[in-house]
Amino acid sequence: MIPIPGSSNAKRVKQNTEAADIKLSEEDLKEINRILDSFEIKGGRYPDHSSGLLVSLHCHLPDLR
């Protein structure tokens, strides 16, 4: 289960997860990328002071199951 910020009830969570079923055409994806490419990226994804707390995708975590 992954919490979705702002979800206050089961109905809203279900609506949010149904978005995964939406199929975008190649034209849709090109338009989305065109719009995204029109914005200048400024700064990093995370603040510098917290970037050291992120877990690398390349580190090996124990299986907790």
Side-chain angles (χ1 to χ4, degrees):
M1 179 179 291
I2 300 172
I4 302 173
S7 297
S8 58
N9 62 53
K11 180 181 175 184
R12 296 286 183 233
V13 172
K14 185 175 184 303
Q15 286 177 331
N16 289 337
T17 59
E18 289 171 351
D21 295 330
I22 296 173
K23 304 293 184 220
L24 298 174
S25 70
E26 196 64 36
E27 292 169 2
D28 292 332
L29 294 173
K30 285 180 184 178
E31 178 68 8
I32 291 168
N33 285 322
R34 184 191 67 73
I35 293 168
L36 292 175
D37 289 342
S38 71
F39 291 93
E40 180 183 351
I41 297 172
K42 296 182 179 181
R45 181 177 183 125
Y46 302 103
D48 290 340
H49 67 276
S50 64
S51 62
L53 301 172
L54 300 173
V55 176
S56 170
L57 294 176
H58 303 288
C59 74
H60 299 285
L61 299 175
D63 186 356
L64 301 175
R65 287 180 265 160

